């Protein structure tokens, strides 16, 4: 599975961005896909994840009510709609995928990062 992330950019605080992650190589019919973010020198943090077959979701507390993860099964693409962005949301965001149904655990497939910068 190859993952291609896009949609990052510069936005003012309070603004919105939508990240996309297109999966190719094989149809991703099961498992979990997620969005991580990472600051320089820090560990990656799981921001949101979605079970591909059921659509059930996970969000880390700091983004609940502001971010929405979704997927388009036909397009084999995952999205992260980010609203009410704050300067502390400034990170490189990565999409990733794993087999199984647990949101936690090791993600084996990774896309390249896309930088989100939120100015105050």
């Amino acid at each position: 599975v190859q993952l291609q992330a896009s949609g990052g950019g510069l936005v003012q605080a309070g603004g919105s961005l939508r990240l996309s992650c297109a999966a190719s190589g094989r149809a991703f019919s099961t498992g979990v896909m997620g969005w991580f973010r990472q600051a320089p020198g820090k560990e990656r943090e799981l921001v949101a994840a979605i079970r591909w077959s059921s659509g059930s979701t996970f969000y880390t507390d700091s983004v609940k009510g502001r971010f929405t993860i979704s997927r388009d099964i036909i397009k084999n693409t995952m999205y992260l709609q980010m609203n009410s962005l704050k300067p502390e949301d400034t990170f490189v965001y990565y999409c990733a995928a794993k087999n199984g149904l647990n949101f936690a655990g090791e993600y084996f497939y990774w896309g390249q990062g896309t930088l989100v910068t939120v100015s105050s």
Side-chain angles (χ1 to χ4, degrees):
V1 177
Q2 292 81 46
L3 303 177
Q4 179 73 36
S6 61
L10 173 63
V11 65
Q12 288 189 329
S16 299
L17 281 174
R18 189 176 80 156
L19 305 183
S20 299
C21 178
S24 62
R26 66 173 174 87
F28 194 76
S29 58
T30 61
V32 171
M33 291 185 71
W35 289 98
F36 288 76
R37 63 188 186 185
Q38 185 176 30
K42 300 291 182 65
E43 291 187 1
R44 288 181 184 177
E45 173 193 21
L46 179 60
V47 176
I50 187 166
R51 292 189 176 105
W52 198 256
S53 56
S54 69
S56 56
T57 58
F58 161 84
Y59 296 95
T60 194
D61 286 346
S62 61
V63 307
K64 286 179 180 176
R66 300 189 299 123
F67 291 11
T68 303
I69 189 170
S70 62
R71 86 273 193 250
D72 185 321
I73 293 175
I74 302 299
K75 294 182 178 179
N76 230 21
T77 300
M78 173 181 65
Y79 304 98
L80 186 67
Q81 178 67 43
M82 304 186 294
N83 298 329
S84 302
L85 282 162
K86 305 175 182 179
E88 51 264 43
D89 293 317
T90 296
F91 289 94
V92 177
Y93 286 73
Y94 298 88
C95 62
K98 65 186 293 290
N99 298 315
L101 297 179
N102 291 323
F103 293 127
E106 186 175 0
Y107 284 67
F108 290 101
Y109 308 100
W110 290 89
Q112 87 290 2
T114 184
L115 177 62
V116 172
T117 303
V118 184
S119 63
S120 58

